[in-house]
Amino acid sequence: MESFAQRRRRDLIVAFVLAALAACAPFVIKDVYVQNIMVLTLMYAALSQAWNILGGYCGQISLGHALYFGLGAYTTTLLFTKFGVLPWFGMLGGGTISALIAMALGYPTFRLRGHYFVIATIVIAEIGLLLFHNWDWAGAALGIDIPVRGDSWLRFQFTRSKLPFFYFALVFCCVAWLITWWLEDSKWGYWWRAVKDNPDAAESLGVVVFNSKMGAAAVSAFLTAIGGAFYAQFVSYIDPESVMSFQFSLLMALPAVLGGIGTLWGPVLGAVILIPLTELTRSFIGGSGRGVDLILYGTVIVLISLARPEGLIGLFSRKRKEVSR
Amino acid sequence: MTTATIIQSLASGLLMGLLYGLIAVGLALIFGLMDVTNFAHGEFLMLAMYISFFLFAFFAIDPLLAAPLVAAAMFVFGAVIYLVVVRFAMRAKTNIGMVQIFTTFGLAILMRGLAQYFFTPDYRSITQSWLGGKTISLGGVFLPVPQLVGALVSIAAFGALYFFIKKTDFGRALEATREDAGAVALVGIDKNKVFALGWGLGGALVGLAGAIMAMFFYIYPDVGASFALIAYVTVALGGFGSVFGAFAGGIIVGLVEASTALLLPPSLKSVGIYAVYLLVVFIRPRGLFGSI
């Protein structure tokens, strides 16, 4: 039986090897369509990792993370198109704004429990969506086109190749993973798991439940907004529906849930399975708008939730245990 | 803005609110019975609206007459969904809350996909029903007849539900099961049977609402989504699990929506509902009538 410290060291090595392999992948896979799917997979893996910090480790199920994703996308885009601020600053600005808003919203909402909390997160994101729909300065329902001024790392715009986006998404995914890896063994990680398992007991043992939740929300929202800013640059056009709709909240939660909620590898595993599946069915059979993609997608979610409630990661740990025996 | 306009919109808001209560009560019933939130509730409504539409399109049955048929079909559907899907979600050993949320979410997506596949994403409507498009004037206030009938059906349904829960054996079994599902097994009540009937009843109630809605609203695969969120807010306002809280919650939601539409642009009318939800749960974290 390996110790916790050994497991953590092994996780780090596995992550390094996987990241190195992923970095080499574009040399083998030249197809732009597949590269596009790889970018989205990495992005959702990172976003789901961010969601997992609040939803998985701390146990606060948010179905409103689209708000932070949209805030990241809008902050970067508005700062760039209205004031000429480079997207890199916009990205950090969006992250900071989202983290602050997450804490401001957390102040009243973290008192809520169970379904009341989940619905509050949905409702808050919907209010955000409706406000952006009606905010003329921010393009209202029409959205904003990001003017393309040629490939440049400075402006983080690339029209000819997907590769720069791929490498950014890879770094983003690795950073999100490393932050989770580091937090898992920090005092925060222990506080969060205590809050998730039994908030009352945690409180009585001296864990400041409220502050723990606030910390998780801030980190989670910051990373989610970075993802939103990246997505805006990647698609170079945003409108409220395309960056803040409920669908994004779901797509951030699902990989973690399917892969293994509150686990280090769950979000990555879930995204690697779910995102290509979504994209491939959408383009190959769902293109006619006949909903086959939704049918497949819904079936997978139902089956995995029923058959593997602890997530697909459970398959791996069981196999490993059998091998070590 | 004159007094007449205000009375007019509040009256329509009240009617819509009673309908919201009817849409939401099935959700509250199921939650109260077994602590499960059915995130496919909006898709139940969607299915009920399609059933009404096809009964009208193929057999020329008016939605008003079809309402009991739709309710019966949805009763069967609800019970089957419990027996085939939800029953297994209840068996999860870990993450039970999560499993229920995502199982019913998956079900919602699946139902939406199936509706797109079989019914196409086209918007449909029942153009020539007995009541559709008619209005009636009550003391100078014009009320749309389908919504008025819907409101009356809603009041009748809540009355029947009250009688049912308080006076019949099944109603008492329902109440007992929600109190303590383990103990009822000792007195010979089959928990699974009660749960299946609860899901059936929840389905029948939203079926009734769907038949009414089909008279005046477009029918398309995503129609459930917007009403589902209103239904969750309605149920949460009343307090999860409180069947009659859903009645009060519905009325509040309807009135708030109408007042918001008077003050803000129409596209923002839902903001009022959401804001009231947040306000209520911030002050009373268990909803207005929630006891747990």
Side-chain angles (χ1 to χ4, degrees):
Chain A
M1 198 60 201
E2 60 184 345
S3 71
F4 184 60
Q6 276 174 325
R7 202 208 76 190
R8 280 177 59 75
R9 211 172 311 133
R10 193 203 63 211
D11 281 337
L12 205 56
I13 295 166
V14 171
F16 186 77
V17 172
L18 286 179
L21 284 176
C24 298
F27 296 110
V28 186
I29 303 161
K30 304 264 186 213
D31 187 76
V32 177
Y33 173 74
V34 180
Q35 286 185 353
N36 192 45
I37 294 181
M38 291 181 348
V39 173
L40 289 176
T41 305
L42 288 168
M43 183 187 84
Y44 279 112
L47 288 169
S48 195
Q49 202 89 44
W51 181 89
N52 198 32
I53 291 173
L54 182 64
Y57 286 97
C58 195
Q60 307 302 304
I61 304 295
S62 156
L63 287 177
H65 261 48
L67 178 69
Y68 307 124
F69 187 79
L71 281 175
Y74 266 101
T75 310
T76 320
T77 308
L78 286 172
L79 282 176
F80 182 66
T81 54
K82 306 276 180 186
F83 306 108
V85 178
L86 290 176
W88 301 105
F89 297 109
M91 203 174 251
L92 295 176
T96 312
I97 290 175
S98 286
L100 290 175
I101 289 185
M103 288 199 282
L105 292 172
Y107 191 76
T109 42
F110 281 139
R111 295 195 311 131
L112 307 175
R113 284 189 182 182
H115 302 270
Y116 293 96
F117 179 79
V118 178
I119 291 171
T121 62
I122 301 178
V123 155
I124 290 171
E126 283 298 310
I127 293 179
L129 177 69
L130 288 172
L131 291 180
F132 271 95
H133 250 293
N134 287 275
W135 188 12
D136 290 327
W137 187 73
L142 284 176
I144 312 169
D145 250 319
I146 302 175
V148 178
R149 304 217 193 100
D151 290 9
S152 128
W153 273 104
L154 199 61
R155 288 188 301 274
F156 198 29
Q157 288 183 341
F158 301 95
T159 45
R160 279 193 285 277
S161 165
K162 301 258 182 213
L163 282 187
F165 289 120
F166 174 81
Y167 284 109
F168 180 89
L170 182 60
V171 170
F172 178 38
C173 184
C174 290
V175 169
W177 186 90
L178 275 174
I179 290 176
T180 315
W181 178 85
W182 176 70
L183 285 170
E184 212 182 37
D185 194 35
S186 72
K187 62 180 183 184
W188 288 95
Y190 291 99
W191 284 346
W192 290 336
R193 271 164 282 182
V195 168
K196 177 187 181 175
D197 291 338
N198 191 336
D200 299 322
E203 189 86 72
S204 72
L205 289 171
V207 177
V208 186
V209 171
F210 186 74
N211 290 357
S212 306
K213 291 177 180 177
M214 290 289 248
V219 177
S220 184
F222 184 88
L223 286 172
T224 307
I226 301 283
F230 164 76
Y231 186 73
Q233 296 302 119
F234 181 55
V235 296
S236 75
Y237 164 77
I238 59 167
D239 67 13
E241 290 297 328
S242 72
V243 293
M244 217 184 256
S245 66
F246 179 70
Q247 174 206 345
F248 283 99
S249 300
L250 204 56
L251 273 175
M252 283 179 242
L254 276 178
V257 172
L258 296 183
I261 193 161
T263 64
L264 190 55
W265 290 102
V268 181
L269 180 66
V272 165
I273 294 169
L274 194 71
I275 305 304
L277 182 78
T278 319
E279 293 298 320
L280 290 173
T281 47
R282 187 177 293 157
S283 52
F284 285 118
I285 32 183
S288 54
R290 298 223 56 182
V292 182
D293 52 336
L294 294 180
I295 297 175
L296 196 72
Y297 202 39
T299 313
V300 167
I301 298 169
V302 173
L303 288 182
I304 294 181
S305 319
L306 290 180
R308 288 262 146 225
E310 73 279 17
L312 290 170
I313 204 81
L315 293 172
F316 283 81
S317 57
R318 182 164 300 172
K319 222 175 258 167
R320 219 156 30 214
K321 250 176 241 158
E322 277 161 10
V323 170
S324 65
R325 253 182 243 144
Chain B
M1 201 189 312
T2 61
T3 327
T5 8
I6 296 174
I7 293 173
Q8 177 70 50
S9 16
L10 289 183
S12 331
L14 179 68
L15 296 186
M16 226 25 232
L18 285 162
L19 254 178
Y20 287 152
L22 185 60
I23 293 174
V25 64
L27 197 64
L29 185 78
I30 289 167
F31 185 88
L33 187 61
M34 51 204 281
D35 278 0
V36 171
T37 303
N38 177 14
F39 278 96
H41 193 72
E43 279 60 37
F44 277 43
L45 179 74
M46 178 267 292
L47 180 63
M49 289 171 76
Y50 269 110
I51 296 175
S52 319
F53 174 77
F54 287 116
L55 282 175
F56 178 78
F58 292 133
F59 305 105
I61 305 177
D62 191 88
L64 193 62
L65 282 184
L69 297 177
V70 179
M74 290 304 294
F75 181 93
V76 175
F77 182 77
V80 167
I81 287 294
Y82 170 75
L83 292 172
V84 176
V85 180
V86 181
R87 186 157 59 108
F88 297 99
M90 306 278 293
R91 286 194 191 154
K93 302 255 180 330
T94 44
N95 290 335
I96 182 143
M98 198 85 66
V99 172
Q100 288 159 5
I101 291 178
F102 286 97
T103 307
T104 53
F105 246 128
L107 185 67
I109 295 170
L110 176 62
M111 283 178 71
R112 236 182 269 177
L114 288 172
Q116 264 186 38
Y117 188 80
F118 288 108
F119 308 150
T120 78
D122 295 345
Y123 279 51
R124 303 177 188 270
S125 60
I126 297 177
T127 41
Q128 285 179 316
S129 63
W130 294 343
L131 307 176
K134 295 200 170 63
T135 50
I136 189 173
S137 165
L138 286 178
V141 181
F142 289 94
L143 298 174
V145 176
Q147 279 92 325
L148 182 65
V149 171
L152 295 175
V153 169
S154 169
I155 293 170
F158 272 101
L161 196 61
Y162 181 80
F163 174 79
F164 184 73
I165 289 178
K166 298 287 174 199
K167 305 284 177 194
T168 65
D169 279 348
F170 172 62
R172 290 196 195 101
L174 209 75
E175 279 287 296
T177 312
R178 77 195 278 179
E179 292 272 314
D180 190 339
V184 293
L186 301 175
V187 295
I189 295 174
D190 182 355
K191 189 177 75 176
N192 262 323
K193 207 160 138 194
V194 176
F195 284 168
L197 288 172
W199 273 77
L201 196 58
L205 287 161
V206 78
L208 216 51
I212 308 276
M213 294 285 300
M215 285 186 219
F216 64 92
F217 209 82
Y218 287 108
I219 302 157
Y220 52 100
D222 288 349
V223 67
S226 48
F227 288 103
L229 191 51
I230 292 181
Y232 302 134
V233 169
T234 303
V235 170
L237 266 185
F240 265 105
S242 163
V243 167
F244 301 100
F247 186 73
I251 294 176
I252 295 172
V253 166
L255 290 176
V256 167
E257 189 183 44
S259 333
T260 319
L262 280 176
L263 301 171
L264 295 176
S267 55
L268 284 173
K269 68 175 181 181
S270 305
V271 169
I273 305 175
Y274 302 153
V276 168
Y277 167 76
L278 293 174
L279 198 67
V280 167
V281 293
F282 289 164
I283 297 166
R284 285 185 60 90
R286 295 284 176 199
L288 286 176
F289 305 98
S291 49
I292 335 153

